[in-house]
Amino acid sequence: MDPGVKATLKLSYDQHARSRDGVSVQSWKVEEMDRFLAWLQSVDKGSGQRILDLGSGPGHQAIYLKNHGCEVTCVDLSDEMVNICREKGLEAFVMDFYSLDLESESFDAIWTMNALLHVPKDSFLQVLSNMERVLKPDGILYLGLYGGFESEGIWENDTYRPQRFFAFYEDKHIQRKISEVFDIEYFSVLPMEGTQVDYQSIFAKKKKSNLFSGPK
């Protein structure tokens, strides 16, 4: 990833961390977390399981998962976001997706909502591979992204300063990408009223025999 893009993202989220912490969690996000928790139960990964919240922000979702019996580790690029997570009693680390300094096969599941939006398309498979590495052999993945169309670059209408980088995918494209590293169990699209994007909700499992060795 371009170091300048990464530095811009870090600065932007550092500056907006406290304001994002003050925003209530939308009901549809709670519904997605409940679906994730139900899925954990359905595959015998109930309470007490180790969950990696990748791109945790101020920890809203991590707290919800923790309150429902999960052992959550938060990772975020923003120092301020990680500070807020720690203030809430969460285990949290400043880290990016390209060099996850975490033990291999150490998590039962990964939760990531609208974080991989900031990964350039030519680095997406590398990031998926890093995620796959830290999952246990029977590990599962929840990955959610805004999308429904193809786009990549600085979002000119972004109200954040500095403006952030986003990558969006059409539904079939994102499924093809993820299927190179994970087995998709379920894919659905949630329309986002009043916006130009949909939300792509993906439930996947680590492949039984994953021969993926890097970006293609």
Side-chain angles (χ1 to χ4, degrees), residues 142-167:
Y142 173 90
L143 194 160
L145 293 168
Y146 290 135
F149 60 96
E150 294 291 327
S151 178
E152 183 176 26
I154 299 298
W155 181 24
E156 294 181 358
N157 294 326
D158 192 7
T159 58
Y160 279 33
R161 294 294 185 273
Q163 292 176 313
R164 297 163 293 172
F165 174 97
F166 286 86

Side-chain angles (χ1 to χ4, degrees), residues 3-39:
V5 172
K6 187 186 297 185
T8 296
L9 283 170
K10 179 179 174 60
L11 177 58
S12 187
Y13 279 115
D14 279 346
Q15 293 182 162
H16 291 85
R18 295 293 168 179
S19 61
R20 288 177 73 92
D21 188 38
V23 176
S24 299
V25 180
Q26 294 160 291
S27 60
W28 68 267
K29 293 181 179 180
V30 175
E31 291 170 3
E32 287 295 287
M33 288 188 284
D34 286 342
R35 291 173 64 205
F36 174 68
L37 290 165
W39 190 37

Side-chain angles (χ1 to χ4, degrees), residues 19-158:
S19 61
R20 288 177 73 92
D21 188 38
V23 176
S24 299
V25 180
Q26 294 160 291
S27 60
W28 68 267
K29 293 181 179 180
V30 175
E31 291 170 3
E32 287 295 287
M33 288 188 284
D34 286 342
R35 291 173 64 205
F36 174 68
L37 290 165
W39 190 37
L40 287 175
Q41 294 286 349
S42 73
V43 294
D44 296 324
K45 291 182 178 294
S47 62
Q49 300 303 315
R50 290 199 72 199
I51 310 299
L52 175 62
D53 186 348
L54 198 61
S56 63
H60 290 153
Q61 294 151 30
I63 285 291
Y64 190 88
L65 296 175
K66 181 179 179 180
N67 289 343
H68 284 78
C70 298
E71 180 185 337
V72 185
T73 298
C74 297
V75 164
D76 202 278
L77 179 65
S78 163
D79 293 84
E80 285 302 313
M81 294 292 192
V82 167
N83 288 338
I84 293 171
C85 287
R86 290 173 176 169
E87 289 169 7
K88 297 176 179 178
L90 293 163
E91 181 180 50
F93 302 97
V94 177
M95 206 176 296
D96 66 44
F97 307 145
Y98 309 94
S99 55
L100 287 178
D101 186 19
L102 299 166
E103 184 180 351
S104 296
E105 298 185 356
S106 56
F107 290 93
D108 298 287
I110 293 175
W111 166 274
T112 181
M113 177 179 272
N114 283 330
L116 271 61
L117 283 171
H118 301 307
V119 175
K121 293 186 179 183
D122 62 2
S123 299
F124 193 76
L125 291 180
Q126 173 196 343
V127 170
L128 290 180
S129 180
N130 290 342
M131 294 161 62
E132 190 267 352
R133 179 186 63 79
V134 303
L135 277 176
K136 293 179 181 180
D138 60 346
I140 63 177
L141 166 68
Y142 173 90
L143 194 160
L145 293 168
Y146 290 135
F149 60 96
E150 294 291 327
S151 178
E152 183 176 26
I154 299 298
W155 181 24
E156 294 181 358
N157 294 326
D158 192 7

Side-chain angles (χ1 to χ4, degrees), residues 198-215:
D198 295 327
Y199 180 79
Q200 298 159 330
S201 175
I202 302 143
F203 291 77
K205 286 186 177 181
K206 186 168 180 174
K207 291 180 182 291
K208 293 297 182 182
S209 178
N210 197 331
L211 302 180
F212 180 78
S213 59

